[in-house]
């Protein structure tokens, strides 16, 4: 697991807190951000929550297709995207 860094973008912080099991904190970070990147993480979080309809809305806002692979695989893709 990675160690938390204050200098991280809000995207990495949200992914970190999700991985640590704090879905609410992760969601709080991205819910008010107006970007396709935040929408992608928001979509992932709602898919993880089991809210497929809401996840679909956020995937559309992110300009992404609905992810159908395992949640942990999507988390890894998100992490690599935001932490190249």
């Amino acid at each position: 697991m990675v160690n938390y860094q204050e200098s991280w973008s809000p995207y990495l912080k949200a992914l970190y807190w999700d991985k640590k099991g704090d879905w609410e904190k992760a969601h709080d970070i991205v819910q008010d951000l107006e970007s396709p990147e935040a929408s992608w993480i928001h979509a992932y979080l709602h898919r993880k929550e089991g809210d497929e309809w809401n996840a679909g809305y956020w995937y559309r806002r992110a300009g992404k297709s609905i992810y159908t692979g395992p949640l942990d695989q999507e988390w890894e893709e998100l992490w690599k995207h935001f932490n190249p």
Side-chain angles (χ1 to χ4, degrees):
M1 186 62 198
V2 295
N3 292 318
Y4 184 81
Q5 301 291 320
E6 282 296 324
S7 61
W8 283 348
S9 70
Y11 311 121
L12 288 176
K13 288 177 182 178
L15 291 168
Y16 171 85
W17 288 113
D18 173 66
K19 189 63 138 182
K20 295 291 282 182
D22 195 336
W23 186 95
E24 289 290 333
K25 190 165 189 166
H27 187 260
D28 286 349
I29 291 170
V30 297
Q31 73 178 345
D32 293 327
L33 298 177
E34 296 284 334
S35 70
E37 294 85 0
S39 293
W40 184 15
I41 297 171
H42 205 156
Y44 157 79
L45 290 170
H46 282 293
R47 186 169 84 95
K48 183 175 185 178
E49 177 190 36
D51 187 348
E52 296 294 327
W53 183 88
N54 205 1
Y57 168 80
W58 289 104
Y59 281 115
R60 287 188 297 281
R61 292 221 23 199
K64 301 273 183 191
S65 297
I66 295 172
Y67 197 92
T68 57
L71 286 165
D72 59 338
Q73 184 178 330
E74 185 175 17
W75 187 95
E76 289 293 335
E77 287 184 27
L78 285 159
W79 185 262
K80 288 176 185 172
H81 178 81
F82 293 108
N83 192 35

